[in-house]
mmCIF file of all heavy atoms in Angstrom:
data_model
loop_
_atom_site.group_PDB
_atom_site.id
_atom_site.type_symbol
_atom_site.label_atom_id
_atom_site.label_comp_id
_atom_site.label_asym_id
_atom_site.label_seq_id
_atom_site.Cartn_x
_atom_site.Cartn_y
_atom_site.Cartn_z
ATOM 1 N N ASN A 315 59.174 208.038 209.194
ATOM 2 C CA ASN A 315 57.720 207.981 209.259
ATOM 3 C C ASN A 315 57.305 206.529 209.440
ATOM 4 O O ASN A 315 57.552 205.690 208.571
ATOM 5 C CB ASN A 315 57.116 208.567 207.970
ATOM 6 C CG ASN A 315 55.602 208.579 207.985
ATOM 7 O OD1 ASN A 315 54.968 207.533 207.913
ATOM 8 N ND2 ASN A 315 55.029 209.769 208.067
ATOM 9 N N ASP A 316 56.684 206.220 210.579
ATOM 10 C CA ASP A 316 56.299 204.835 210.882
ATOM 11 C C ASP A 316 55.369 204.255 209.824
ATOM 12 O O ASP A 316 55.519 203.103 209.404
ATOM 13 C CB ASP A 316 55.610 204.766 212.243
ATOM 14 C CG ASP A 316 56.599 204.856 213.399
ATOM 15 O OD1 ASP A 316 57.679 204.252 213.299
ATOM 16 O OD2 ASP A 316 56.282 205.523 214.395
ATOM 17 N N LYS A 317 54.392 205.050 209.393
ATOM 18 C CA LYS A 317 53.395 204.544 208.450
ATOM 19 C C LYS A 317 54.038 204.170 207.115
ATOM 20 O O LYS A 317 53.796 203.078 206.582
ATOM 21 C CB LYS A 317 52.312 205.591 208.230
ATOM 22 C CG LYS A 317 51.170 205.146 207.322
ATOM 23 C CD LYS A 317 50.071 206.196 207.283
ATOM 24 C CE LYS A 317 48.895 205.728 206.427
ATOM 25 N NZ LYS A 317 49.249 205.678 204.984
ATOM 26 N N SER A 318 54.870 205.058 206.582
ATOM 27 C CA SER A 318 55.489 204.753 205.294
ATOM 28 C C SER A 318 56.492 203.609 205.424
ATOM 29 O O SER A 318 56.645 202.793 204.501
ATOM 30 C CB SER A 318 56.165 205.996 204.708
ATOM 31 O OG SER A 318 57.216 206.443 205.538
ATOM 32 N N ALA A 319 57.162 203.529 206.574
ATOM 33 C CA ALA A 319 58.085 202.418 206.792
ATOM 34 C C ALA A 319 57.346 201.087 206.759
ATOM 35 O O ALA A 319 57.755 200.141 206.079
ATOM 36 C CB ALA A 319 58.804 202.591 208.124
ATOM 37 N N ASP A 320 56.231 201.016 207.484
ATOM 38 C CA ASP A 320 55.438 199.787 207.502
ATOM 39 C C ASP A 320 54.927 199.445 206.107
ATOM 40 O O ASP A 320 54.936 198.276 205.694
ATOM 41 C CB ASP A 320 54.254 199.922 208.457
ATOM 42 C CG ASP A 320 54.680 199.905 209.932
ATOM 43 O OD1 ASP A 320 55.900 199.979 210.198
ATOM 44 O OD2 ASP A 320 53.801 199.813 210.805
ATOM 45 N N GLU A 321 54.478 200.445 205.377
ATOM 46 C CA GLU A 321 53.922 200.206 204.048
ATOM 47 C C GLU A 321 54.969 199.638 203.097
ATOM 48 O O GLU A 321 54.712 198.672 202.374
ATOM 49 C CB GLU A 321 53.336 201.503 203.487
ATOM 50 C CG GLU A 321 52.028 201.922 204.143
ATOM 51 C CD GLU A 321 51.551 203.286 203.681
ATOM 52 O OE1 GLU A 321 52.336 203.993 202.998
ATOM 53 O OE2 GLU A 321 50.398 203.648 204.001
ATOM 54 N N LEU A 322 56.147 200.236 203.097
ATOM 55 C CA LEU A 322 57.135 199.761 202.113
ATOM 56 C C LEU A 322 57.698 198.399 202.495
ATOM 57 O O LEU A 322 57.974 197.563 201.621
ATOM 58 C CB LEU A 322 58.223 200.803 201.886
ATOM 59 C CG LEU A 322 59.322 201.040 202.910
ATOM 60 C CD1 LEU A 322 60.493 200.099 202.694
ATOM 61 C CD2 LEU A 322 59.815 202.482 202.807
ATOM 62 N N ILE A 323 57.854 198.126 203.804
ATOM 63 C CA ILE A 323 58.327 196.796 204.216
ATOM 64 C C ILE A 323 57.278 195.738 203.880
ATOM 65 O O ILE A 323 57.599 194.659 203.362
ATOM 66 C CB ILE A 323 58.680 196.775 205.716
ATOM 67 C CG1 ILE A 323 59.851 197.721 206.003
ATOM 68 C CG2 ILE A 323 59.043 195.359 206.156
ATOM 69 C CD1 ILE A 323 60.108 197.948 207.493
ATOM 70 N N ASN A 324 55.999 196.048 204.129
ATOM 71 C CA ASN A 324 54.933 195.108 203.770
ATOM 72 C C ASN A 324 54.855 194.897 202.264
ATOM 73 O O ASN A 324 54.627 193.767 201.805
ATOM 74 C CB ASN A 324 53.588 195.607 204.302
ATOM 75 C CG ASN A 324 53.337 195.194 205.752
ATOM 76 O OD1 ASN A 324 53.383 194.015 206.082
ATOM 77 N ND2 ASN A 324 53.072 196.165 206.612
ATOM 78 N N THR A 325 55.043 195.953 201.494
ATOM 79 C CA THR A 325 55.025 195.821 200.031
ATOM 80 C C THR A 325 56.128 194.885 199.570
ATOM 81 O O THR A 325 55.921 194.032 198.689
ATOM 82 C CB THR A 325 55.185 197.199 199.367
ATOM 83 O OG1 THR A 325 54.054 198.009 199.693
ATOM 84 C CG2 THR A 325 55.291 197.071 197.850
ATOM 85 N N ALA A 326 57.307 195.027 200.162
ATOM 86 C CA ALA A 326 58.406 194.129 199.798
ATOM 87 C C ALA A 326 58.044 192.676 200.090
ATOM 88 O O ALA A 326 58.221 191.789 199.243
ATOM 89 C CB ALA A 326 59.669 194.539 200.546
ATOM 90 N N ILE A 327 57.514 192.422 201.296
ATOM 91 C CA ILE A 327 57.163 191.050 201.666
ATOM 92 C C ILE A 327 56.032 190.519 200.781
ATOM 93 O O ILE A 327 56.058 189.355 200.352
ATOM 94 C CB ILE A 327 56.779 190.987 203.155
ATOM 95 C CG1 ILE A 327 57.993 191.366 204.025
ATOM 96 C CG2 ILE A 327 56.284 189.590 203.531
ATOM 97 C CD1 ILE A 327 57.688 191.529 205.495
ATOM 98 N N ASP A 328 55.062 191.382 200.473
ATOM 99 C CA ASP A 328 53.954 190.973 199.599
ATOM 100 C C ASP A 328 54.454 190.503 198.240
ATOM 101 O O ASP A 328 53.800 189.696 197.572
ATOM 102 C CB ASP A 328 52.975 192.135 199.382
ATOM 103 C CG ASP A 328 52.166 192.456 200.625
ATOM 104 O OD1 ASP A 328 52.106 191.610 201.543
ATOM 105 O OD2 ASP A 328 51.598 193.565 200.674
ATOM 106 N N ARG A 351 58.404 195.222 214.072
ATOM 107 C CA ARG A 351 56.943 195.354 214.131
ATOM 108 C C ARG A 351 56.286 194.665 212.931
ATOM 109 O O ARG A 351 55.316 193.909 213.089
ATOM 110 C CB ARG A 351 56.583 196.842 214.167
ATOM 111 C CG ARG A 351 55.093 197.126 214.258
ATOM 112 C CD ARG A 351 54.846 198.603 214.490
ATOM 113 N NE ARG A 351 55.370 199.449 213.419
ATOM 114 C CZ ARG A 351 56.317 200.383 213.584
ATOM 115 N NH1 ARG A 351 56.861 200.582 214.777
ATOM 116 N NH2 ARG A 351 56.725 201.117 212.566
ATOM 117 N N VAL A 352 56.817 194.896 211.746
ATOM 118 C CA VAL A 352 56.215 194.300 210.553
ATOM 119 C C VAL A 352 56.448 192.791 210.516
ATOM 120 O O VAL A 352 55.527 192.011 210.241
ATOM 121 C CB VAL A 352 56.764 194.963 209.270
ATOM 122 C CG1 VAL A 352 56.259 194.228 208.032
ATOM 123 C CG2 VAL A 352 56.371 196.437 209.210
ATOM 124 N N ARG A 356 53.587 189.357 210.366
ATOM 125 C CA ARG A 356 53.447 188.508 209.176
ATOM 126 C C ARG A 356 53.513 187.038 209.540
ATOM 127 O O ARG A 356 54.160 186.640 210.513
ATOM 128 C CB ARG A 356 54.568 188.834 208.165
ATOM 129 C CG ARG A 356 54.661 190.281 207.737
ATOM 130 C CD ARG A 356 53.534 190.728 206.836
ATOM 131 N NE ARG A 356 53.414 189.963 205.615
ATOM 132 C CZ ARG A 356 53.102 190.495 204.419
ATOM 133 N NH1 ARG A 356 52.895 191.805 204.308
ATOM 134 N NH2 ARG A 356 52.968 189.737 203.361
ATOM 135 N N SER A 571 60.126 204.557 199.572
ATOM 136 C CA SER A 571 58.707 204.558 199.237
ATOM 137 C C SER A 571 58.351 203.213 198.611
ATOM 138 O O SER A 571 59.224 202.456 198.186
ATOM 139 C CB SER A 571 58.383 205.683 198.243
ATOM 140 O OG SER A 571 58.980 205.415 196.977
ATOM 141 N N GLU A 572 57.049 202.938 198.562
ATOM 142 C CA GLU A 572 56.599 201.702 197.917
ATOM 143 C C GLU A 572 56.996 201.671 196.447
ATOM 144 O O GLU A 572 57.334 200.612 195.908
ATOM 145 C CB GLU A 572 55.078 201.583 198.041
ATOM 146 C CG GLU A 572 54.585 201.314 199.449
ATOM 147 C CD GLU A 572 53.068 201.250 199.509
ATOM 148 O OE1 GLU A 572 52.432 202.308 199.689
ATOM 149 O OE2 GLU A 572 52.530 200.133 199.345
ATOM 150 N N VAL A 575 60.408 200.278 196.038
ATOM 151 C CA VAL A 575 60.408 198.820 196.186
ATOM 152 C C VAL A 575 60.010 198.163 194.871
ATOM 153 O O VAL A 575 60.672 197.233 194.384
ATOM 154 C CB VAL A 575 59.450 198.382 197.312
ATOM 155 C CG1 VAL A 575 59.319 196.860 197.344
ATOM 156 C CG2 VAL A 575 59.935 198.886 198.667
#
Side-chain angles (χ1 to χ4, degrees):
N315 182 290
D316 283 320
K317 183 174 183 291
S318 63
D320 288 10
E321 287 174 350
L322 75 87
I323 296 170
N324 275 305
T325 296
I327 296 172
D328 289 343
R351 181 172 60 242
V352 173
R356 304 289 302 219
S571 68
E572 290 178 272
V575 173

